[in-house]
Amino acid sequence: MKLLFLACLSPKTGNHTTAERIRSHIESAGHTCELRDAAAFKSPAEVANLISRHPPFEGALAIHLLRAGSLLLDINVPFGVIFGGTDINEDVKVEQKRVVMEQVLLKARVSIIFGEEKDWKMLPCLEDWHESMRLNTCRPTPAVQVCGCIYGQTERRGRVIFEISQCLSLKLSQSSKIYVQPQGIQTEVSEKFCWAEFLRSSGVSSEHVDELRVFLLVCGLRRVKDPLYLVEVFSEWHRDNPLNVLVVIGPRIDPVFTVEVEAVVKKSAGVFLAQERSQRELHAAMKRCFTVVNSSVSEGMSAAILEAMDLGVPVCARDIPGNAAVVHHEFTGLLYSSPQEFVHQSQRLLSDHELRERVVRNGKLYVEEHHGLKQERETYQRLVDTLLLA
């Protein structure tokens, strides 16, 4: 099967990495999968024209219902969509965007959501339905066939599908299928990576590099990742404890916001901005740091958090539904709900070695058990088979 795959392909971002991994899964089954950047297309008509070229595409796939999925509305071949995170967390709150997302899901033959640990609080527009959802958690909506899950819990599977359909006011067709499939995680560390050089190039100057406690905030520079959330409090903490430093690393996605981040970081003691690195170099930096940090306002399923767990590094993440779905407080990592609480939780990691060892051990086991590549590969190959039968 020849498949067109649309995704947001900003270099060295989680979306790009995820898309490449999924493309590899599909091609390993003998299909042709052409990955294109959704930003390269201005309208659904452009995609429809590409689809019909000779030899024509036989199906399509998109990550993110709004940014990529909306471009598939005019095509005449079956397609599948993958929830991206900001679509179901943020875009759904805007009526105009929600209407477009409804149209995409109604037309999609297959849909995939990364995780079923999302509870109703992840979708603010569901608050009015909370009681009715409680009464319907034990069964999926009749029109939807659930084809995959993390833990095999019927109750949670039903709840996820109920949330999506209620949130978007959907009546899905009988042929619609929703797969619940967490991201597969694979980490690889660069053997040539030099920790001292990395810190030096990031502006960290210290004669005692090995004594530094580096908190690594991995995120693309855009407002939804909120990289400035911890800066003021961390800088104050650094003044009292100079060995504690915060390094922000990730691609400059939003040019205007990047200028703002650079200006704030420049005048904040103990906070540094690193140049983006290759995936293997990033993993090497994560493995050497004291803690991987997440400060996002909204997340779908953070690959950086899961990669840190796989690398055996503790995670301290902002307490939002997407993070709380994978970071179980004091078991697979630590959660915080304010900058001050971040410092408190970080101090616990510094002083409580048993806690640190526990979250590292459990985090790695969690990723190995629930985020393996084998199940992910099988799910996406099954997805293509479903499109073939359409």
Side-chain angles (χ1 to χ4, degrees), residues 12-259:
K12 300 176 184 176
T13 59
N15 273 342
H16 199 158
T17 301
T18 298
E20 288 285 3
R21 190 178 65 252
I22 293 172
R23 179 193 59 78
S24 176
H25 292 332
I26 293 171
E27 293 194 334
S28 68
H31 303 290
T32 299
C33 185
E34 188 170 318
L35 181 60
R36 295 285 193 98
D37 189 353
F41 300 93
K42 296 180 180 179
S43 69
E46 289 186 13
V47 176
N49 181 57
L50 174 63
I51 287 281
S52 61
R53 290 180 186 174
H54 187 76
F57 288 90
E58 301 164 83
L61 184 63
I63 297 181
H64 201 286
L65 270 67
L66 187 66
R67 296 176 191 166
S70 61
L71 293 169
L72 302 180
L73 286 173
D74 288 352
I75 67 175
N76 57 5
V77 296
F79 69 85
V81 290
I82 303 167
F83 289 85
T86 54
D87 45 12
I88 198 64
N89 293 333
E90 302 297 326
D91 295 328
V92 73
K93 302 172 187 175
V94 181
E95 176 68 17
Q96 185 178 3
K97 295 179 179 180
R98 185 175 64 83
V99 169
V100 174
M101 290 163 60
E102 287 179 1
Q103 295 172 351
V104 173
L105 271 183
L106 283 168
K107 191 171 180 181
R109 183 55 56 96
V110 182
S111 303
I112 288 183
I113 187 167
F114 282 139
E116 59 183 357
E117 281 290 320
K118 303 167 184 280
D119 66 25
W120 66 277
K121 293 179 181 178
M122 176 167 275
L123 307 177
C125 54
L126 288 175
E127 293 183 12
D128 293 339
W129 289 301
H130 185 214
E131 182 62 22
S132 62
M133 285 176 61
R134 186 183 65 79
L135 298 175
N136 286 274
T137 54
C138 293
R139 60 183 184 279
T141 51
V144 181
Q145 179 180 352
V146 184
C147 304
C149 63
I150 304 177
Y151 310 114
Q153 296 175 349
T154 303
E155 178 176 339
R156 286 200 178 277
R157 281 188 289 172
R159 185 170 68 187
V160 171
I161 307 310
F162 187 81
E163 289 172 4
I164 295 169
S165 59
Q166 286 289 340
C167 182
L168 298 177
S169 305
L170 291 177
K171 292 181 180 178
L172 298 173
S173 68
Q174 287 291 339
S175 61
S176 295
K177 296 183 178 181
I178 294 184
Y179 290 75
V180 180
Q181 175 58 52
Q183 291 198 65
I185 294 298
Q186 184 177 34
T187 56
E188 188 176 0
V189 174
S190 171
E191 296 179 358
K192 298 180 180 180
F193 178 78
C194 177
W195 179 238
E197 185 279 326
F198 168 77
L199 293 176
R200 187 165 48 251
S201 66
S202 303
V204 182
S205 57
S206 175
E207 296 179 359
H208 309 287
V209 171
D210 292 335
E211 296 178 19
L212 291 174
R213 293 179 287 264
V214 179
F215 292 76
L216 195 65
L217 174 52
V218 182
C219 69
L221 298 188
R222 53 191 181 119
R223 294 191 185 278
V224 73
K225 299 299 183 180
D226 207 4
L228 298 179
Y229 182 63
L230 300 172
V231 169
E232 183 178 353
V233 166
F234 196 99
S235 189
E236 293 174 359
W237 189 33
H238 167 78
R239 290 189 182 96
D240 295 331
N241 299 273
L243 292 178
N244 299 333
V245 297
L246 176 65
V247 177
V248 182
I249 183 169
R252 275 72 165 161
I253 297 174
D254 182 336
V256 175
F257 184 57
T258 295
V259 172

Side-chain angles (χ1 to χ4, degrees), residues 3 10 43 88 108 126 152 157 163 186 210 225 252 292 301 305 348-349 355 366 369 380:
L3 194 74
S10 298
S43 69
I88 198 64
L126 288 175
R157 281 188 289 172
E163 289 172 4
Q186 184 177 34
D210 292 335
K225 299 299 183 180
R252 275 72 165 161
V292 167
M301 180 174 284
I305 286 177
R348 294 180 65 201
L349 280 177
L355 171 66
Y366 170 79
E369 184 175 353
Y380 284 101

